Amino acid sequence: TRPYMDLDRVGIFGGSAGGQSALAALLHHGDVYDAAVSDCGCHDNRMDKIWWNEAWLGWPIGDWYAQNSNVTHAAKLQGKLFLTVGEMDENVDPASTMQVVDALVRANKDFDLVVVPGGHHGVGESAYLVRRRQDFFVRHLLGLEPRHR
């Protein structure tokens, strides 16, 4: 119904829970999504703020927590992935991103990663990482090299 949309080149991005969802899109719907940028994602709800996760996944922690973990499903990665995280994130522990990085490396998956020294939660919206996100999508969805002024 929307001829201006090119469903052969679909990207997604998000931060925090949106970063978790952006990566999950490639893990579980790689037939739809071609590229994702995930900033400061809470990739495994077993290590995030428990009050937040209890609201959506319940208590006590059960198998469904692992079933909803990007770490658990990292080997399913399809498409191009760009992870960003602030070293000093006070909202989502940067270790959450490092856990998914470890799982991707163990699964021999290719991805890009930027860790911003001293960066905080939402660092993906800094001018530098907004440009990097745009460049990532231009490269991987349009097949072009970005032009910079």
Side-chain angles (χ1 to χ4, degrees):
T1 63
R2 293 172 178 84
Y4 53 86
M5 293 180 69
D6 182 351
L7 297 181
D8 291 325
R9 295 185 288 189
V10 179
I12 185 171
F13 73 92
S16 198
Q20 178 184 24
S21 296
L23 174 51
L26 289 182
L27 299 178
H28 303 292
H29 304 286
D31 57 326
V32 174
Y33 296 96
D34 301 295
V37 178
S38 171
D39 179 48
C40 59
C42 46
H43 298 290
D44 191 317
N45 292 304
R46 294 170 290 185
M47 69 168 304
D48 194 25
K49 306 166 288 302
I50 197 61
W51 63 267
W52 170 261
N53 301 304
E54 284 180 12
W56 310 108
L57 294 171
W59 179 260
I61 294 174
D63 290 344
W64 53 92
Y65 275 75
Q67 293 166 7
N68 286 284
S69 169
N70 287 343
V71 176
T72 300
H73 298 283
K76 297 177 183 176
L77 179 67
Q78 298 178 59
K80 302 294 184 179
L81 173 63
F82 182 26
L83 296 165
T84 61
V85 66
E87 172 197 32
M88 301 300 293
D89 190 329
E90 67 286 344
N91 187 0
V92 175
D93 191 329
S96 185
T97 296
M98 293 302 113
Q99 282 184 343
V100 83
V101 163
D102 180 54
L104 290 165
V105 168
R106 284 186 284 111
N108 199 30
K109 297 294 184 174
D110 293 334
F111 60 95
D112 296 324
L113 169 68
V114 172
V115 178
V116 177
H120 294 278
H121 195 65
V123 74
E125 294 306 312
S126 66
Y128 174 72
L129 288 179
V130 166
R131 179 187 62 78
R132 291 287 309 271
R133 178 176 69 217
Q134 292 168 344
D135 291 352
F136 177 83
F137 285 132
V138 166
R139 282 186 187 99
H140 297 295
L141 297 179
L142 296 179
L144 300 172
E145 194 55 34
R147 293 183 294 189
H148 296 282
R149 297 171 197 181

